[in-house]
Amino acid sequence: MNVTVIGTGYVGLIAACCLANSGHQITGVEKNLTKLTMLQQRQSPIYEEGLVEILTKVIDNGSIKFTDDLALAISTTDLVIIAVGTPSLSDDRVDLSQIFAVAETITALATRPLTVVMKSTVPPGTGKMLIDRYFSQCSQEISYVSNPEFLREGRAVWDWYNTDRIIIGTHNQKAANQLNELYADLAAPKVHMDVTSAEMVKYASNAFLATKISFINEIANLCEYVGADIDAVAPAVGMDNRIGKQFLNAGLGYGGSCFPKDTKGLRFIASYYGYPFSVLKAVMEVNSAQKIRGMRKLLTALDNNLYNKRIALLGLSFKPGTDDTRESPGLDIAEMLISEGALVQACDPLALASAKTLLHSEQITFHEAPYQAVAGCQAIILATEWPEFTHLDWQKIKNSMQAPYVLLDGRNAIPKESIKNLGFHYLSFGRQTD
Ligand code: UDX
């Protein structure tokens, strides 16, 4: 099929490359000229495992090209995938301005019948609104499909080929058949439903996963009070198939480009309809409080005073395997440490460049090597469980630190017994250490 993908961010670029890899003829539209030039030169603007290899292959075999000419791209296509950004506004509303601009352009420029596929995350009801406002006014017939993505950063290419389900939200049979053909090589079940329900599936999925994380964080906190061990509790709870073992890792809480934005967006939608989504509000509150709880643990271990104390911060990306620092707990911790007067020695395998543009203070230094970052520190905070950090030589680390050798394991990811035996003052979220 001839497919145009508008927007080459995480979702758009993975979709464009993987669809090209499946034999479709893809035109990727990118209006940012720096990004466009990179893509045309076979460089990926984002780090994603396996992506550059596919990008190079599909450019070389001619199944993908990139352009900023939306009009031309639309005039030669059967199917348009919208994958532009939908960031949060300051009042938690979802900013749909890029979606509206693209819908208006498609409506004005369509010269043949088109199927428009929405992959950007948009609030339930958006598809209906776009059809009413724009696509129904077009001189050409436009069929609309909501087709949300569930790709995880760092695992996006793998997730594309191993997705649990493909959601196809449309009542238009011709468009549904096109989507079945688009994804013919993917084994996942194709689940058909109406547009608004498909939009809701995306929000409900992300909100539920966020709920799982906040729930296990609360259980971990409670474990500390009653003397239970989250390392025993969480896996055993997850063995119940109705619950599932994933997303039960307690720690500093969730970050990233999706969970914070989508939980805020869903809370706004609920409040817009006058519905108090109490569980969701609690999930968000717990998530914010986890970082403060971590800081409180650190402060208590350092006599309630961080002024002029050297603290190593291991991890600035919001999770391992990505250079993305959006809503990263590590960045929030860095800002809290700086405001407490600490001298922060930060380290991350991929996110240093991004963090440097966001953290401006003479109190923070950035380091490539973890052994360099920990030198002279009284405490270490592990904010992201990169394997580069969880497999360190902790004896060597301790030798280069200063007393009282505090280690706040913000991801419960470090082997706790060996750490304690080395004489660290080990802090975690709900792990028994005695
Ligand atoms: C998420 C969803 O998983 C994906 O399906 C969706 O489409 C986009 O949002 P992503 O944001 O890439 O993907 O990361 P994910 O792996 O889900 O982790 C999100 C955050 O939750 C990270 O900060 C991670 O550290 C945290 N997390 C995850 C926990 O704190 N505990 C867990 O058990 C799991």
Side-chain angles (χ1 to χ4, degrees), residues 137-150:
Q137 314 296 320
C138 186
S139 59
Q140 305 293 324
E141 187 192 346
I142 296 195
S143 314
Y144 184 87
V145 186
S146 168
N147 173 223
E149 264 322 318
F150 303 96

Side-chain angles (χ1 to χ4, degrees), residues 44-107:
S44 172
I46 51 165
Y47 173 79
E48 200 55 53
E49 199 179 316
L51 182 59
V52 171
E53 289 79 356
I54 298 180
L55 176 67
T56 307
K57 179 180 157 196
V58 293
I59 290 181
D60 288 348
N61 69 19
S63 46
I64 197 166
K65 61 180 191 296
F66 295 98
T67 177
D68 60 345
D69 190 343
L70 182 55
L72 183 67
I74 289 173
S75 68
T76 55
T77 201
D78 311 314
L79 198 137
V80 180
I81 294 177
I82 300 178
V84 296
T86 53
S88 280
L89 291 165
S90 54
D91 62 359
D92 290 357
R93 263 181 311 135
V94 179
D95 179 357
L96 292 174
S97 54
Q98 293 185 62
I99 299 280
F100 292 150
V102 167
E104 198 171 359
T105 309
I106 294 172
T107 305

Side-chain angles (χ1 to χ4, degrees), residues 9 27 148 174 211 228 262 293 329 331 365:
T27 304
K174 190 176 126 232
T211 304
D262 293 349
R293 196 173 167 83
L331 283 195
T365 53

Side-chain angles (χ1 to χ4, degrees), residues 20-40:
N21 201 29
S22 294
H24 299 293
Q25 194 61 42
I26 307 295
T27 304
V29 182
E30 177 54 61
K31 63 182 182 184
N32 178 318
L33 294 184
T34 312
K35 275 172 88 178
L36 179 63
T37 309
M38 284 182 77
L39 290 167
Q40 287 167 336

Side-chain angles (χ1 to χ4, degrees), residues 366-419:
F366 297 93
H367 304 263
E368 302 271 340
Y371 293 107
Q372 204 180 45
V374 300
C377 287
Q378 295 188 23
I380 298 173
I381 303 176
L382 179 88
T384 316
E385 69 278 30
W386 284 98
E388 285 87 340
F389 298 150
T390 53
H391 294 97
L392 289 167
D393 177 344
W394 292 100
Q395 181 65 69
K396 184 173 164 188
I397 297 263
K398 183 158 177 266
N399 291 347
S400 73
M401 289 177 70
Q402 286 182 50
Y405 312 108
V406 176
L407 173 56
L408 171 60
D409 183 355
R411 296 293 171 186
N412 285 1
I414 295 171
K416 61 187 178 192
E417 284 317 318
S418 50
I419 281 293

Side-chain angles (χ1 to χ4, degrees), residues 10-11 48 121 148-156 159 165 202 205-206 209-210 212-214 216-217 245-260 262 287 317-320 322 324 326-329 383-385 410-411:
Y10 269 98
V11 169
E48 200 55 53
T121 301
E149 264 322 318
F150 303 96
L151 305 173
R152 287 166 297 176
E153 288 183 24
R155 300 287 303 273
D159 279 353
R165 75 293 205 201
K202 170 74 186 202
S205 300
N206 276 354
L209 291 171
K212 253 186 128 174
I213 296 169
S214 281
I216 206 65
N217 278 335
K245 60 182 186 301
Q246 295 189 58
F247 280 74
L248 292 178
N249 298 327
L252 287 168
Y254 60 78
S257 64
C258 288
F259 289 174
D262 293 349
N287 196 56
S317 61
F318 81 94
K319 66 172 191 180
T322 177
D324 197 339
R326 283 177 284 179
E327 304 273 347
S328 169
T384 316
E385 69 278 30
R411 296 293 171 186

